[in-house]
Amino acid sequence: MRETKASVISRKLRRSCAVAIGLLAGVTLATSPRAAEDPANQVAPPNTSVYRNIAGRDLRVFEFPPADIAGSARPAILLVQGGAWSRGSPEQLFRSARYFSEKGFVSAVVEYRLADATSSPVESFSDVCYSLAFLRKNAGRLGLAPSRVALWGISSSGQLVASAATVGCDSAEGSSGNGGPDALLLVSPVVDAVSDGLFRDLMKGHGKPSSLSPTHTLTRSIAPTLIMQGNADHTTPIERSKVFCERARGLGSRCELIVLEGQGHVLDRPTRDEVLDRQVRFLREMWQ
């Protein structure tokens, strides 16, 4: 059936709204409880390393070591910004990364290729895996424990980091033996990517959406997972996260879903602070 002009305009408007919401979601946790009031440029810049060069472009990882890291192998958190797969920047998560480093974690934020005319979430996923391997390869320099590296994702980047656990990163590294993370910290994540219209559009010509959909590639036990999501989230409905956790638990995985009452896809300020605190407690319970 041929689309009317009105339906085409409506579809384009829905897609534009989805991109805007995804970008805003990528910003929602960019501040920490203590650093949120500070001007963005009033803090020291992170250490920067190139973890991959591809098509002449250097991709960077921004490192935030804790002050007392010397002589210890700390748990680590690698943060991946959201933004509807095609927007956003690593700087959005610098303050959250600093918060985790203040709590004693080695934290880092990855720069990855965004979906555009030539790239898709397939390339973004590849970069996340490369950056995870880079941290483990440099564990000695960074002072981190290579079998205690958590991946952190929000909204669209939740799909990328969860896929690193379910699909794996094509190596035997990590406690799961598939190159993926040793823990997952997800906020309002896209776990059923097949049901996401924007993701399906971005994957056209690059592969089947189901091949990188965490729910559809969940076939074995995965790393301990914490999902925090509002029950009023209409962008990534919480019912999809419930299905993901139920399947993960059925395969012997630890998967906790914390419902944020009354919260939508974009969390309010007190809830953002609560999320960061709860994520720290989750990792400490496992890795103390």
Side-chain angles (χ1 to χ4, degrees):
M1 182 179 295
R2 301 180 63 181
E3 290 184 293
T4 66
K5 181 177 181 181
S7 65
V8 170
I9 294 174
S10 176
R11 175 168 54 81
K12 291 183 176 179
L13 285 173
R14 288 198 303 272
R15 177 167 177 168
S16 298
C17 289
V19 170
I21 289 172
L23 175 58
L24 185 55
V27 178
T28 55
L29 279 118
T31 57
S32 71
R34 283 186 288 178
E37 308 302 332
D38 297 336
N41 296 322
Q42 295 299 308
V43 291
N47 302 326
T48 304
S49 299
V50 173
Y51 73 91
R52 189 179 196 183
N53 179 283
I54 188 163
R57 177 185 175 186
D58 286 340
L59 295 174
R60 300 165 294 173
V61 63
F62 303 90
E63 304 157 1
F64 299 81
D68 59 346
I69 193 173
S72 60
R74 300 294 186 90
I77 303 173
L78 178 61
L79 295 89
V80 185
Q81 103 267 349
W85 295 281
S86 57
R87 300 288 189 276
S89 67
E91 288 79 7
Q92 294 172 198
L93 297 179
F94 279 11
R95 286 177 173 166
S96 293
R98 288 190 179 96
Y99 172 73
F100 288 128
S101 69
E102 290 171 2
K103 296 298 183 180
F105 294 87
V106 177
S107 62
V109 182
V110 62
E111 175 183 52
Y112 63 93
R113 287 172 291 171
L114 301 174
D116 56 20
T118 58
S119 295
S120 73
V122 174
E123 285 71 32
S124 303
F125 171 71
S126 174
D127 293 342
V128 169
C129 283
Y130 264 79
S131 63
L132 182 56
F134 176 85
L135 288 193
R136 288 181 170 135
K137 182 179 180 180
N138 290 273
R141 174 178 65 84
L142 295 169
L144 64 84
S147 60
R148 293 185 175 185
V149 183
L151 273 180
W152 187 104
I154 184 170
S155 190
S156 58
S157 69
Q159 174 268 324
L160 297 174
V161 304
S163 293
T166 59
V167 176
C169 288
D170 198 26
S171 81
E173 296 180 320
S175 56
S176 295
N178 67 350
D182 304 298
L184 282 174
L185 303 173
L186 306 177
V187 185
S188 309
V190 176
V191 287
D192 181 355
V194 171
S195 297
D196 190 287
L198 178 57
F199 183 82
R200 293 197 305 270
D201 286 346
L202 293 172
M203 286 292 288
K204 288 179 179 177
H206 298 278
K208 294 182 178 180
S210 59
S211 67
L212 282 180
S213 175
T215 297
H216 295 80
T217 52
L218 183 58
T219 59
R220 50 167 283 180
S221 180
I222 60 170
T225 301
L226 174 65
I227 302 177
M228 300 188 71
Q229 187 164 9
N231 58 0
D233 187 345
H234 301 298
T235 303
T236 56
I238 196 171
E239 287 75 18
R240 298 173 188 173
S241 292
K242 290 178 179 178
V243 170
F244 178 83
C245 256
E246 288 171 359
R247 291 186 182 179
R249 288 193 291 265
L251 292 168
S253 307
R254 175 181 178 181
C255 189
E256 297 182 21
L257 173 60
I258 295 181
V259 179
L260 304 173
E261 294 293 338
Q263 294 293 310
H265 195 62
V266 179
L267 309 179
D268 62 30
R269 172 66 173 279
T271 305
R272 298 198 301 265
D273 295 350
E274 174 190 343
V275 165
L276 294 174
D277 286 339
R278 184 63 187 86
Q279 290 171 336
V280 166
R281 294 201 305 272
F282 178 78
L283 295 183
R284 283 179 174 171
E285 288 168 4
M286 293 190 302
W287 295 338
Q288 187 76 350

